Amino acid sequence: MEPMTNEKPILKVLRDKQISHGKVPWWMMRQAGRYLPEYREIRAQAGGFLDLVYNPEQACEVTLQPLRRYGMDAAILFSDILVIPHALGQEVGFVQGEGPKLGVLDISKLNYARYHQTLAPVYETVSRIKAGMAEEGFDQTALIGFCGAPWTVACYMIEGGGSKSFEKARYMAYQEEESFYELMDLLVEASTQYLLEQIKAGAEVIQIFDSWAGLLDEDGFRKFVIRPTRQIIQTLKTEYPDIPVIGFSRGAGSMYLPYVQETGVDGVSIDPSVSTSWAARVLQPYCVVQGNLDPVRLLAGGDSLVLCVEKILSDLREGSFIFNLGHGVIKETNPETITFLKSLLS
């Protein structure tokens, strides 16, 4: 892996807690995706969604597409949080128009027999992205690797697919603690190994996505969000102390502060429900804040977008800050609106 540098804007913010030359660095969650016509072309060629994820050439290509259009300050690996249960042996598929579908969970059958072999194409994708960025002149662009947090991944594994409430997962967490902790411990180890391999392949920043953290009460949040995230970060920092970690515990509300204080994250990505003036006052003294434009504002465009971007920048840009969305780009978003967004950040 090449030597670390503090010159890339996002790395400078995350390591030095400073914004270079007054320009706020930016990228967008789900910036490689269906809103781009060039992505849809590759997706049509790939076959199934996991076929695209496990095709290093195509996954690298779609990762680089938004950089060519917009010049974001970070590329994020194109993959999916459910590659971990898939690599551990649970059946995982994606149904067009319905999202992920997972086989019935049997914890006793999860194992590492083909884990890194299954994930090897993802590691190759990271290497290809790093090389592609160098070849195409994105020398100031950081490469972000990621995983789903154990709680969020467990939600899908237990539920068997998507849900708005994940009641089966919450029931198991509260009623079948021994089995649930067994699953969580396995996911902590699997996630850690997955991230370490991404870093070896060239990832310069890690983001941990806990998209369903907001479903838990305070006790559950501390046990199933903070604790496993802290365990992962402690191991990553032991091996790679200079690799920054951003945590995204969507919907955490008042638990954002203990999340920041107790997990060891270098940055926290906040969802649109969080007051930016509160985040500036309460969170920025502890770590970098990332966020938090409502993706629907981006979809809507116009004055609504302008006013919201101005408010976010006014509240957060004087501290350590990375501009982003509060969740992923919506597939119906007009690509030209993102060009307009970039002009607002200049």
Side-chain angles (χ1 to χ4, degrees), residues 21 54 82 120 140 165 187 216 224 235 317 327 331 335 338:
H21 309 299
Y54 290 136
L82 298 182
Q140 291 296 295
S165 60
L187 289 174
L216 292 164
F224 308 130
T235 303
R317 74 182 308 160
H327 202 221
K331 65 180 180 180
I338 297 172

Side-chain angles (χ1 to χ4, degrees), residues 102-148:
L102 289 77
V104 176
L105 175 63
D106 184 342
I107 297 174
S108 68
K109 292 184 178 179
L110 301 176
N111 62 75
Y112 286 98
R114 296 175 56 83
Y115 186 71
H116 287 300
Q117 181 179 346
T118 301
L119 294 174
V122 179
Y123 309 146
E124 182 183 340
T125 298
V126 176
S127 298
R128 283 179 177 247
I129 296 167
K130 195 68 178 294
M133 288 165 60
E135 290 171 5
E136 297 191 32
F138 298 115
D139 56 339
Q140 291 296 295
T141 306
L143 175 54
I144 301 175
F146 76 92
C147 74

Side-chain angles (χ1 to χ4, degrees), residues 168-337:
K168 291 181 182 177
R170 289 153 64 199
Y171 180 87
M172 182 176 177
Y174 300 147
Q175 186 65 26
E176 303 170 26
E177 279 202 351
E178 185 175 342
S179 295
F180 190 76
Y181 274 117
E182 181 183 357
L183 176 60
M184 291 294 279
D185 288 344
L186 177 62
L187 289 174
V188 166
E189 178 63 22
S191 302
T192 302
Q193 294 304 315
Y194 180 50
L195 294 176
L196 287 171
E197 291 300 318
Q198 290 184 47
I199 295 168
K200 289 177 186 176
E204 300 165 285
V205 180
I206 293 299
Q207 177 148 322
I208 299 174
F209 287 86
D210 219 341
S211 302
W212 298 107
L215 294 177
L216 292 164
D217 60 21
E218 180 176 351
D219 178 67
F221 191 96
R222 291 187 178 278
K223 288 178 178 177
F224 308 130
V225 173
I226 290 178
R227 175 180 171 270
T229 303
R230 180 173 61 241
Q231 290 175 316
I232 292 170
I233 292 174
Q234 284 174 342
T235 303
L236 294 182
K237 291 294 186 178
T238 299
E239 296 288 327
Y240 295 98
D242 294 328
I243 297 293
V245 180
I246 302 169
F248 181 42
S249 54
R250 184 166 69 108
S254 62
M255 295 304 292
Y256 270 113
L257 181 57
Y259 178 85
V260 164
Q261 291 174 321
E262 298 172 28
T263 59
V265 292
D266 300 285
V268 61
S269 194
I270 57 175
D271 65 79
S273 71
V274 179
S275 160
T276 47
S277 58
W278 177 87
R281 185 177 70 255
V282 176
L283 301 179
Q284 277 187 326
Y286 292 96
C287 74
V288 176
V289 170
Q290 176 177 278
N292 69 333
L293 180 69
D294 185 341
V296 179
R297 296 270 189 183
L298 184 63
L299 177 67
D303 291 343
S304 172
L305 173 62
V306 173
L307 292 172
C308 191
V309 170
E310 288 177 348
K311 175 70 162 58
I312 292 169
L313 293 177
S314 174
D315 285 345
L316 292 168
R317 74 182 308 160
E318 296 306 316
S320 50
F321 175 54
I322 298 167
F323 186 90
N324 206 312
L325 306 184
H327 202 221
V329 180
I330 296 169
K331 65 180 180 180
E332 291 83 9
T333 302
N334 186 333
E336 293 305 314
T337 307

Side-chain angles (χ1 to χ4, degrees), residues 39 42-60 62 78-80 83 86 92-94 118 121-122 125:
Y39 170 89
I42 298 292
R43 178 71 179 83
Q45 299 168 15
F49 178 72
L50 282 179
D51 295 319
L52 175 55
V53 167
Y54 290 136
N55 184 316
E57 182 179 356
Q58 292 179 328
C60 173
V62 298
F78 182 83
S79 186
D80 192 85
V83 296
H86 183 244
V92 176
F94 288 82
T118 301
V122 179
T125 298

